[in-house]
Amino acid sequence: MSTTTERSPESDEGRGRGGAAGAAGRPSRLIHSEATTEIPVHLLFRDDPRDPAGVALPSAVVRGGAARPRVEPGARADAARPSVPLPPPVPVPGADPELAERRARVLPGAVGVLAGGVGAAGCVLALWWAGVLPRALPGAPGRAGARGIGAAQWAVLAGAGALALFGFGGLARGRVGGAWVLTLFGRYRGSVRRTGLLWVNPLLLRRRVDVRLRHWRSEPMAAVDRSGVALRVVVLVVWRVRDAARAALAVADHQEYLRECVEATAARVLSRLPADAFHDGARGAADGGPTLRDAEAVGEALTRALAAQAEPVGIEVFSVQPTRIEYAPEVAEAMHRRRIAALDARHRDSVLTSVVDSVEDTVTRLTTRGLLVELDDYERKALVKDLTVAFCTGHGER
């Protein structure tokens, strides 16, 4: 048969001051457990409700008070996703205001074929008139009394030959998805986007520009994140030439210009975000800040920045999407270990949070039903410790 001894407040105060004397008067634990040496739960049993790291502990667990409302893990799911901070725009010199695409004057191809045929026929008639055609083509009918090519025949032959050259030399074939940029002695004269057989002034210099919707996949480009960690980035750019005149004349090579802008823009945008949320000083899931793992937000930022850079040269950028963002080979192994460590720490934190919530609910229910009224602060802390050890042991066996 067991007996219960009464303890006065003086004995409790003496037990707190003297370790040996107090240990002799401690009651037996309410929950027994042997697996207590490897569980780091000592921070839960301090008189100060805050641990050294500044994390507030539940008041119901420490002093048996009322339970505070907990924040659900998915409470931030409906919050608006913040956008990626764009770097300050880089000033790009605008194109010549007079250099804008306009329609050039061209004629149907039938007009060129007709003019070339008339010129060829005129040359034949001039040769026949001069009496040269029978000697050049035996058996062809000749004109009696022909004395050879004179001044008049030369004039007719030159005019007919020039007409034939202009007629046939100006024929061009317009293709779907292509445009001609026409210049005369270095001056822009217009653009042609028509298809089929056309006649263009043969004195004009033609430059063909592809105006179809195109995509370009970059090679792995070097970049750094906000913490200075080396990255390798591959992006997919969807674009087309909107102004053929500016694309052909405002820059030496618009495709090379676009490639250089993609590399520079990617380096500027990616350097404003952390690659992962576990970086020191990085804004991760704790405060809702984006990282480079948010492909949609990063793609929108890259698209806006690149479109502003490519507009002065007549290029329209529809989409810039990162297809691969990874660490550089020299730091990939170290960052992989750091990511695994961060995931492990996050898992341990979630387990500890679950244990604390369970202990808080248990103590709150016991307090509400009046089962812990006769327990003093020491017994209450011992109960909390035993409950924590029990719940941690249960989580470890799962």
Side-chain angles (χ1 to χ4, degrees):
M1 179 179 299
S2 60
T3 59
T4 304
T5 60
E6 297 293 334
R7 296 190 304 274
S8 61
E10 291 79 8
S11 62
D12 294 338
E13 182 179 0
R15 181 184 54 191
R17 296 178 179 177
R26 291 182 182 176
S28 60
R29 294 186 178 182
L30 301 180
I31 300 178
H32 297 275
S33 177
E34 298 178 358
T36 60
T37 58
E38 298 182 358
I39 301 178
V41 296
H42 61 281
L43 295 179
L44 300 175
F45 316 117
R46 300 170 55 92
D47 293 334
D48 187 3
R50 288 183 173 271
D51 61 1
V55 179
L57 299 179
S59 58
V61 176
V62 179
R63 295 184 177 87
R68 296 182 299 178
R70 299 192 305 273
V71 179
E72 298 296 334
R76 302 177 61 89
D78 298 335
R81 178 171 55 85
S83 60
V84 177
L86 285 177
V90 176
V92 179
D96 186 357
E98 297 182 359
L99 186 60
E101 182 176 347
R102 61 179 182 270
R103 183 178 300 179
R105 298 179 181 178
V106 296
L107 299 176
V111 175
V113 173
L114 179 61
V118 171
C123 292
V124 173
L125 290 176
L127 293 176
W128 177 79
W129 182 25
V132 178
L133 187 62
R135 293 195 295 270
L137 300 176
R143 191 173 65 88
R147 298 180 179 179
I149 301 178
Q153 288 83 3
W154 277 115
V156 173
L157 188 62
L163 182 61
L165 289 178
F166 264 76
F168 290 123
L171 293 178
R173 183 178 60 176
R175 299 179 180 178
V176 177
W180 292 101
V181 177
L182 308 180
T183 57
L184 179 62
F185 305 118
R187 184 178 180 182
Y188 175 62
R189 304 300 296 177
S191 301
V192 180
R193 288 180 179 256
R194 295 173 55 180
T195 60
L197 187 62
L198 306 172
W199 184 85
V200 183
N201 186 350
L203 298 179
L204 298 176
L205 179 62
R206 310 171 192 174
R207 298 185 182 183
R208 181 177 291 275
V209 179
D210 191 345
V211 296
R212 295 174 295 179
L213 186 66
R214 306 171 66 181
H215 69 278
W216 173 66
R217 182 185 178 93
S218 70
E219 297 294 331
M221 300 179 296
V224 295
D225 69 348
R226 191 171 64 181
S227 301
V229 180
L231 303 174
R232 291 293 181 271
V233 184
V234 177
V235 298
L236 179 66
V237 184
V238 181
W239 62 284
R240 74 174 180 182
V241 173
R242 181 177 54 85
D243 193 317
R246 292 185 178 182
L249 304 177
V251 66
D253 188 347
H254 65 278
Q255 297 187 36
E256 184 65 24
Y257 175 83
L258 180 63
R259 284 193 290 267
E260 297 295 337
C261 285
V262 168
E263 185 173 358
T265 303
R268 292 173 57 240
V269 173
L270 299 183
S271 64
R272 302 182 65 86
L273 292 176
D276 286 295
F278 56 79
H279 283 303
D280 296 333
R283 296 182 302 169
D287 57 355
T291 65
L292 295 182
R293 303 305 174 188
D294 191 350
E296 183 177 357
V298 174
E300 292 176 359
L302 289 173
T303 302
R304 295 195 300 269
L306 184 60
Q309 295 290 315
E311 182 180 5
V313 296
I315 296 178
E316 184 177 6
V317 178
F318 292 95
S319 173
V320 182
Q321 295 298 327
T323 60
R324 187 175 65 189
I325 299 179
E326 58 186 11
Y327 291 106
E330 57 270 17
V331 298
E333 186 64 25
M335 301 311 295
H336 177 71
R337 292 195 300 267
R338 188 174 182 182
R339 181 182 301 175
I340 296 300
L343 292 176
D344 186 58
R346 187 178 305 174
H347 173 70
R348 291 197 304 269
D349 181 70
S350 63
V351 170
L352 183 59
T353 302
S354 176
V355 169
V356 171
D357 292 342
S358 301
V359 173
E360 180 182 3
D361 293 339
T362 302
V363 175
T364 302
R365 291 183 180 182
L366 293 176
T367 304
T368 303
R369 297 181 182 181
L371 300 178
L372 302 180
V373 177
E374 299 179 356
L375 298 181
D376 56 9
D377 291 341
Y378 178 80
E379 292 174 339
R380 193 183 301 275
K381 291 182 180 181
L383 174 62
V384 170
K385 182 176 181 179
D386 292 338
L387 289 175
T388 304
V389 170
F391 285 132
C392 285
T393 303
H395 277 279
E397 293 177 355
R398 291 180 183 179

